[in-house]
Amino acid sequence: MKVVVLGQDPYINKDQAHGLSFSVKDGTSLPPSLKNIFKELEGDIGIKREQSDLSDWAAQGVLMINGTFTVQKGISNSHKNIGWLDFTKDVINHLNTKKSHIVYIAWGSFAQKLCSNVDNKTNLVLSSAHPSPLSSYRGFFGSNHFSKTNEYLRNHKLEEIKWC
């Protein structure tokens, strides 16, 4: 595990979510947040990504995890109180105490709260506004988290992520 990308909960529309935060299977219409992630990726490191399935990132050591793993169709954050959040907090705490030199990417206040106890001396937490169209212009665009992640990995003699 080299990078953790935190989301709030799965996409709420039918056939969008498939287990990785922000990712959708190829051929699925791009959700607005993922469109903005791809805009930032291109603006930051010049990569125009075609695949919407981010499994290739996961295969390189990027844990893309939501705070909650399920939702009621059409209702964001509808399962926030059924125990998933405790599990996610335990995962982050375990990683924080057992492994160092992880980059935590916390887009939005929800993800930032999940990272509030991460040790900044042995890891890197990158925070910005959420990539949703409602908040992306308040600091998500121009955050350069893709290049900053790879710079941190490179500086700690870890293989960079191929974001393409």
Side-chain angles (χ1 to χ4, degrees), residues 65-157:
I65 188 170
N66 285 314
T68 61
F69 293 2
T70 59
V71 289
Q72 183 177 341
K73 182 182 172 192
I75 305 174
S76 290
N77 223 13
S78 54
H79 290 175
K80 68 180 178 182
N81 295 320
I82 66 170
W84 289 124
L85 195 52
D86 294 331
F87 176 79
T88 303
K89 287 177 183 177
D90 286 346
V91 168
I92 293 168
N93 184 54
H94 178 79
L95 290 172
N96 183 47
T97 58
K98 302 292 183 191
K99 194 159 176 6
S100 59
H101 306 307
I102 295 177
V103 179
Y104 293 83
I105 299 177
W107 291 327
S109 60
F110 182 89
Q112 290 164 20
K113 286 177 191 167
L114 285 174
C115 290
S116 62
N117 293 322
V118 170
D119 184 351
N120 284 308
K121 294 176 187 155
T122 59
N123 300 289
L124 175 65
V125 177
L126 298 173
S127 300
S128 74
H130 193 276
S132 109
L134 299 174
S135 58
S136 58
Y137 289 94
R138 291 184 292 184
F140 174 73
F141 290 123
S143 63
N144 299 324
H145 287 172
F146 299 102
S147 60
K148 288 176 181 177
T149 294
N150 279 348
E151 178 182 4
Y152 181 85
L153 294 174
R154 191 172 46 252
N155 289 342
H156 289 89
K157 310 283 190 264

Side-chain angles (χ1 to χ4, degrees), residues 34-45:
L34 187 55
K35 283 182 185 176
N36 285 340
I37 290 168
F38 288 172
K39 283 181 190 176
E40 175 61 17
L41 177 64
E42 186 173 8
D44 181 10
I45 57 177

